[in-house]
Amino acid sequence: MSLNDQAIDILTGNDRGGYTIPTKGLYPYQWNWDSAFIALGIASYDPDRAWSEVTALLDGQWPDGMIPSIIFRSDDPDYFPGPARWGKTPGAMPSTGVSQPPVLASVVRQLNAGGSPAEIARMREVFAPIMKWHRWFQSSRVMHGATVTTHPWETGRDNCPEWNIGLDQMAVAPDLAPYVRMDNKHVNPRFRPSQEQYDKYLTIVQRGEEMGWDQNRLLHEGPFLMADPTLHFVLLRANRDLKAMAEILGEDTAEIDTWIASGEASADYMWNDALGAFTARDVKTGAFSTGFSNASPLCFYADAGTPEQRGRIMENMKRIAGKVRFMLPSWDPDADAFEPQRYWCGPVWPQMNYMVAEGLARAGEVEMAGRIREDLSAAIRQSGFWECFNPLTGEGCVGNNFSWTAAVWLTWHGPQPLRGAA
């Protein structure tokens, strides 16, 4: 069976009727940015089904505009923390109390790149709820002009060493409710977040639930608050794509223009000059993280950063490229806490490679863009459709038969590769 056919089989096998789970067992619900990337892959062979992936995600939007990181359409005992642990949330269906990187606007624009009347009608269908989501980010997740997070899970880069500064500043709740992890029953615990990290993740969840998921209180009173280059650059790029959609639809762009200007100007809040990279920064202490992550080059995806900053980022990427067989590792091989097969402490991530490669290609960094794209493709050919890959060996990590890996493959190599794909 060809890799295209395998990828399509994975996506159809993970389909739950209008939405797609990341993989069986480990992740049995609909994840926010997973669904966005999944829609891109499905569009290569079934555009109508791709669109239902987008609209199903919007079904979980909260009244205040937030689209949560996970939508719980059931209560699967094989997953923790499920809806009971998150408590009562204000959306139309149970969900988590935090969001995820807002790639949806960029995906919708790409799905409708042809601009046919039917595509414009679909774009109009989702413009208002996506605009509302972006407005939520601007009001509930921005400090010092930078996009911040109240929980490492919100960034999508759960246990990246970037978050250690913020996690080290907080204590585990003395009254933390007991729990049993389920992730370690599906995956070797050595490759998952530590127990101490999990206790702190659940401490934030418990605090948020006690606040009734009041996002303003969580932002100002919660135990964890860090600026995140992933959220910042993904949102900036999404705002640019939202503006493009607004212009097509004849909508006013003044509000979006202010978001874009602010996002461009405030990227410097996360510029770590000592490292030559955009890094996470603890808002409470001002401390920067100490390693180059695969979020830093997302500045190219967002069309942000000065020429000097971009040049230093390229220097770091070339240095790292000489140390790994497969680009782009999620954490710097020269930094403390690098582990090539432990979740976000080193592995190559398909959705990050996709965005970084696209951004580099648009910026004219064609050679590095090609390396990042081809290395991921080579890892898939070697090992299959895993959640992520060891950057030294190409061995698959965490979950297999993974939806966004299949989707990224199809956007590049599928029966109808997507227009504008990196």
Side-chain angles (χ1 to χ4, degrees):
M1 182 184 293
S2 72
L3 286 171
N4 283 349
D5 288 341
Q6 290 179 44
I8 292 171
D9 278 356
I10 288 169
L11 292 175
T12 55
N14 288 337
D15 190 314
R16 293 298 178 269
Y19 71 94
T20 308
I21 63 172
T23 191
K24 297 174 184 176
L26 185 59
Y27 305 121
Y29 301 110
Q30 183 178 22
W31 260 255
N32 186 322
W33 69 332
D34 291 69
S35 268
F37 289 107
I38 287 165
L40 289 179
I42 295 175
S44 71
Y45 62 91
D46 190 346
D48 290 337
R49 175 61 187 81
W51 192 249
S52 72
E53 193 74 32
V54 171
T55 56
L57 181 58
L58 294 174
D59 289 343
Q61 187 167 36
W62 287 15
D64 66 0
M66 188 183 87
I67 301 176
S69 60
I70 308 172
I71 300 170
F72 300 118
R73 286 185 168 85
S74 62
D75 190 355
D76 191 322
D78 210 28
Y79 178 82
F80 180 86
R85 191 71 179 207
W86 291 89
K88 183 174 176 56
T89 51
M93 58 188 73
S95 72
T96 59
V98 295
S99 195
Q100 264 190 334
V103 294
L104 191 61
S106 300
V107 166
V108 168
R109 186 185 178 197
Q110 200 164 346
L111 290 176
N112 297 283
S116 70
E119 288 174 330
I120 291 173
R122 283 178 163 174
M123 188 183 295
R124 189 177 300 280
E125 177 186 355
V126 300
F127 178 81
I130 295 177
M131 180 79 178
K132 191 175 182 180
W133 187 25
H134 286 215
R135 193 174 285 129
W136 175 86
F137 261 106
Q138 298 298 144
S139 64
S140 299
R141 290 294 187 271
V142 172
M143 278 193 171
H144 307 292
T147 313
V148 300
T149 182
T150 61
H151 198 303
W153 286 342
E154 189 166 60
T155 72
R157 298 187 294 132
D158 301 15
N159 69 325
C160 181
E162 294 232 78
W163 314 127
N164 291 348
I165 294 172
L167 291 172
D168 288 346
Q169 300 300 314
M170 61 173 286
V172 175
D175 61 342
L176 183 65
Y179 65 94
V180 176
R181 291 177 65 170
M182 303 302 293
D183 58 317
N184 288 341
K185 295 185 178 181
H186 296 281
V187 179
N188 188 326
R190 293 192 299 115
F191 304 144
R192 294 290 294 171
S194 71
Q195 191 60 46
E196 180 183 3
Q197 287 173 327
Y198 233 81
D199 284 348
K200 292 186 176 181
Y201 300 155
L202 269 295
T203 292
I204 303 170
V205 171
Q206 184 164 304
R207 187 76 176 111
E209 196 273 335
E210 291 167 355
M211 294 176 178
W213 293 112
D214 180 325
Q215 295 294 323
N216 186 62
R217 287 190 63 193
L218 189 60
L219 182 69
H220 292 96
E221 302 173 29
F224 180 91
L225 189 66
M226 293 191 72
D228 173 29
T230 304
L231 286 172
H232 188 87
F233 290 132
V234 167
L235 180 60
L236 176 54
R237 167 62 184 272
N239 280 334
R240 297 189 193 281
D241 288 322
L242 190 66
K243 177 181 178 178
M245 288 192 286
E247 291 172 340
I248 292 170
L249 297 173
E251 300 283 345
D252 182 65
T253 66
E255 185 177 11
I256 304 172
D257 287 336
T258 65
W259 298 343
I260 292 171
S262 175
E264 291 173 339
S266 57
D268 275 349
Y269 182 77
M270 294 172 291
W271 178 252
N272 184 338
D273 197 57
L275 196 63
F278 292 102
T279 69
R281 186 177 183 183
D282 186 66
V283 177
K284 298 175 185 289
T285 66
F288 289 97
S289 80
T290 56
F292 188 95
S293 78
N294 56 356
S296 188
L298 288 176
C299 65
F300 293 99
Y301 179 72
D303 192 17
T306 66
E308 292 75 17
Q309 289 169 336
R310 291 184 177 201
R312 294 189 67 189
I313 288 168
M314 289 304 301
E315 290 174 6
N316 271 305
M317 294 181 75
K318 290 174 183 177
R319 171 182 59 81
I320 292 168
K323 293 179 176 294
V324 299
R325 182 178 165 197
F326 297 90
M327 285 285 277
L328 175 65
S330 48
W331 191 241
D332 191 334
D334 287 331
D336 292 340
F338 173 75
E339 297 183 71
Q341 201 146 338
R342 190 182 185 99
Y343 215 40
W344 285 91
C345 298
V348 174
W349 286 80
Q351 84 287 16
M352 298 294 284
N353 270 33
Y354 177 85
M355 292 187 289
V356 171
E358 181 186 317
L360 287 169
R362 288 188 178 205
E365 299 287 354
V366 178
E367 183 177 352
M368 185 61 74
R371 167 82 191 263
I372 289 171
R373 171 176 164 165
E374 290 310 311
D375 281 5
L376 174 61
S377 297
I380 292 171
R381 291 187 187 100
Q382 171 186 307
S383 300
F385 294 94
W386 288 82
E387 182 175 0
C388 50
F389 299 87
N390 185 314
L392 304 181
T393 67
E395 181 180 354
C397 309
V398 196
N400 198 0
N401 297 315
F402 211 84
S403 290
W404 68 19
T405 310
V408 169
W409 174 271
L410 289 168
T411 63
W412 288 341
H413 307 291
Q416 296 179 19
L418 209 60
R419 290 164 295 200

